[in-house]
Amino acid sequence: YIKKNPCVASIGTDSFEGIDDAIVHLMGLGHSRIALINGSRNSMISEQRRQAYIDSMTAHNLPFSDATMPYGYYVADAAKEHIGNLLSMGITAILCGNDLIASGVITECNLRGYKVPTDISVIGFDDIPIAAKLNPPLTTIRQDRCELGKSGFYTLHSLINHVPISRTLLRPKLVLRKSTALKADNP
């Protein structure tokens, strides 16, 4: 997306709706200490997901700070740097900037003796094929890749034909699997 440039457009999934759906789900399970391990700093998507987290936590009167929303990278190893600090803060649920980060969170929690979802709930973003195969299968916010592709084709066709499209956002879908559960009394 480039502001005021009619020759450029972007497509994506509504991070604000998806993050809020995830937080509402976690609240329904009794979680209030919810963190976000985000992707790369200065990425447009990371910044949108960070603001979506802030907006949702604020709207639901849930506590958060800079420490509960660290940046990492969009890879599983990003979890290693942040899990210890988040667990020591009493976090009971972690949203992740993508499913790869979530897979790393599950691995790191297991290595530290925490069970997902018994001790800590984890939610990813994307619904890539490995999400359903993780142990436990990952609750995630789905971005429909086929529909994104169709939207990309439509957007490109429109731009070629001088129809100035700015941004297209698809609706996300919260896919409930086994990585979230009722908040444990003593995580």
Side-chain angles (χ1 to χ4, degrees):
Y1 173 75
I2 300 175
K3 191 174 184 175
K4 296 185 181 186
N5 186 334
C7 299
V8 178
S10 68
I11 59 169
T13 299
D14 189 340
S15 292
F16 289 85
E17 185 175 321
I19 296 287
D20 191 61
D21 287 349
I23 288 175
V24 167
H25 168 67
L26 291 168
M27 287 174 49
L29 296 172
H31 297 278
S32 61
R33 306 276 308 150
I34 303 167
L36 167 71
I37 298 180
N38 209 345
S40 305
R41 186 181 298 275
N42 299 321
S43 154
M44 180 181 81
I45 297 300
S46 295
E47 295 309 317
Q48 287 174 353
R49 292 188 183 157
R50 182 179 196 273
Q51 192 60 53
Y53 168 82
I54 291 169
D55 290 357
S56 185
M57 296 293 279
T58 300
H60 298 293
N61 297 312
L62 297 174
F64 68 93
S65 67
D66 284 342
T68 64
M69 49 184 169
Y71 288 97
Y73 296 97
Y74 287 109
V75 296
D77 281 349
K80 287 180 184 178
E81 183 179 343
H82 304 294
I83 288 298
N85 187 44
L86 293 175
L87 293 173
S88 71
M89 292 172 30
I91 294 297
T92 63
I94 300 175
L95 296 174
C96 301
N98 73 1
D99 293 341
L100 291 176
I101 296 170
S103 72
V105 167
I106 291 169
T107 298
E108 284 300 310
C109 285
N110 288 334
L111 290 173
R112 295 166 189 263
Y114 289 80
K115 296 195 184 319
V116 175
T118 307
D119 300 322
I120 189 150
S121 289
V122 178
I123 297 181
F125 204 114
D126 291 333
D127 197 24
I128 60 175
I130 68 157
K133 294 177 173 71
L134 292 173
N135 186 18
L138 183 65
T139 294
T140 188
I141 302 159
R142 177 178 291 154
Q143 296 194 83
D144 189 319
R145 293 181 305 281
C146 289
E147 295 303 317
L148 284 169
K150 290 177 191 175
S151 295
F153 174 81
Y154 173 77
T155 299
L156 182 58
H157 183 268
S158 297
L159 291 172
I160 289 170
N161 289 292
H162 308 289
V163 178
I165 291 178
S166 176
R167 294 180 232 195
T168 301
L169 289 180
L170 300 181
R171 293 205 177 271
K173 179 181 180 190
L174 183 63
V175 179
L176 300 177
R177 294 197 180 103
K178 304 278 186 188
S179 65
T180 59
L182 289 172
K183 180 182 148 304
D185 289 333
N186 296 311

